């Protein structure tokens, strides 16, 4: 026989449904919280340790790689110079790595009046033996300091060369004539130098290369020697190398981490921030990739 259901009592269904929820919170697991904090602390210490090790490794590498530059930077010679530059590290280090090479510089009117009588070395470190001097720009530009610099370079026994700054979109034959009328080369001078750095705005690269070839052919016919070709490394590789493969090349690359001259470069302009006694402000520095007999073989006979 079925038992009669009673709807009263604390365990009855009605009582259970109407029961108020407890406001008492469950105790937090402090052990898990402490474990998570400890784990995060371990990872933080590990990251700091790795960061410190990386900084130390970079510092050691820098000290070893640029040890000559560091010695010079903190030497009495370094402190006696008026101009101070972070780039002195690289300049001195590059010179040290090429102490058997021939070092030169290049100038224009932007260096002002040069005291050629005291120009002899870079930071009392490496002797200067050759110089390239800007002569002309475009169809009618003439460097204001060219005549004086050209004369003084010879008087002070530097091997000298003259360069033309080529302006795209200007007539190439008129640019060649501008250079020819301005520069008189003689025995012992470098061949003419064509400086091309800009990309054209009003013509194609193909037309620019055609203009460069006309300049080169005209100047070569006049002086009887093939001109030297100057440009930045990327510009030369992308726009000139394939079309002008037989020239002596003078490459500009100022990358802080490029420390050695490449075998295919004849001249390397490795900085525009050189410090030379007798020249106010910064000056471009260059390395010739060969011996004294090699560089003399380039000179006009």
């Amino acid at each position: 026989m079925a038992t009669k259901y009673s709807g009263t009592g604390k365990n009855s269904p009605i009582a259970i449904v109407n029961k108020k929820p407890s406001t008492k919170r469950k105790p937090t697991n402090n052990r898990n919280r402490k474990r998570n904090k400890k784990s995060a602390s371990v990872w933080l210490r590990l990251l700091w340790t790795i960061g410190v090790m990386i900084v130390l490794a970079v510092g050691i590498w820098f000290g070893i790689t640029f040890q000559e530059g560091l010695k010079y930077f903190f030497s009495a010679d370094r402190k006696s110079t008026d101009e101070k530059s972070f780039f002195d590290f690289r300049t001195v280090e590059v010179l040290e790595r090429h102490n058997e090479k021939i070092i030169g510089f290049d100038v224009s009117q932007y260096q002002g009046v040069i005291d050629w009588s005291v120009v002899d070395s870079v930071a009392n470190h490496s002797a200067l033996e050759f110089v390239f001097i800007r002569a002309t720009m475009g169809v009618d530009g003439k460097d204001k300091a060219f005549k004086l610099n050209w004369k003084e370079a010879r008087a002070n026994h530097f091997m000298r060369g003259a360069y033309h700054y080529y302006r795209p979109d200007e007539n190439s034959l008129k640019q060649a004539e501008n250079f020819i009328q301005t520069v008189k080369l003689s025995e012992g001078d470098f061949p003419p130098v064509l400086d091309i750095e800009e990309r054209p705005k009003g013509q194609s690269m193909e037309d620019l290369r055609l203009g460069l070839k006309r300049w080169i052919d005209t100047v070569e016919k006049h002086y009887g020697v093939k001109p030297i070709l100057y440009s930045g490394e990327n510009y030369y590789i992308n726009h000139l190398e394939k079309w002008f493969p037989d020239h002596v090349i003078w490459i500009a690359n100022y990358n802080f981490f490029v420390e050695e001259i490449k075998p295919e470069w004849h001249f390397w302009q490795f900085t525009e921030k050189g410090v030379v006694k007798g020249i106010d402000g910064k000056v471009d520095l260059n390395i010739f990739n060969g011996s004294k007999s090699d560089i003399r073989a380039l000179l006009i006979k």
Side-chain angles (χ1 to χ4, degrees), residues 114-264:
I114 298 172
D115 186 354
W116 286 90
S117 64
V118 299
V119 174
D120 61 357
S121 64
V122 181
N124 299 321
H125 190 279
S126 300
L128 294 167
E129 301 187 51
F130 67 87
V131 60
F132 288 109
I133 303 168
R134 189 176 71 164
T136 50
M137 308 85 75
V139 299
D140 56 5
K142 291 178 172 53
D143 191 288
K144 296 176 182 178
F146 173 70
K147 287 185 179 180
L148 179 60
N149 286 337
W150 189 246
K151 176 184 176 182
E152 291 297 317
R154 171 58 64 88
N156 287 275
H157 310 293
F158 287 100
M159 291 177 278
R160 64 182 186 176
Y163 72 89
H164 173 79
Y165 186 88
Y166 192 93
R167 289 176 176 162
D169 306 313
E170 294 188 9
N171 186 280
S172 58
L173 296 180
K174 289 182 179 179
Q175 292 197 60
E177 190 60 30
N178 184 25
F179 183 84
I180 290 169
Q181 289 179 355
T182 304
V183 180
K184 309 301 178 187
L185 297 177
S186 57
E187 183 178 346
D189 292 333
F190 286 110
V193 180
L194 176 60
D195 174 352
I196 173 63
E197 306 173 37
E198 297 181 40
R199 296 191 64 174
K201 296 178 180 177
Q203 61 180 185
S204 65
M205 287 302 299
E206 184 178 353
D207 287 339
L208 171 66
R209 285 189 285 267
L210 179 60
L212 295 175
K213 188 176 187 310
R214 286 174 176 167
W215 190 98
I216 289 169
D217 290 345
T218 303
V219 170
E220 182 176 353
K221 181 178 179 181
H222 177 80
Y223 293 103
V225 289
K226 187 182 291 293
I228 296 169
L229 198 56
Y230 168 94
S231 192
E233 181 180 16
N234 290 334
Y235 194 107
Y236 175 75
I237 291 172
N238 294 324
H239 304 302
L240 303 174
E241 185 175 21
K242 234 178 5 179
W243 297 270
F244 303 96
D246 301 324
H247 289 261
V248 171
I249 59 170
W250 174 17
I251 297 297
N253 184 317
Y254 309 148
N255 189 316
F256 191 88
F257 298 102
V258 176
E259 301 162 3
E260 302 281 350
I261 190 169
K262 295 185 179 181
E264 63 270 25

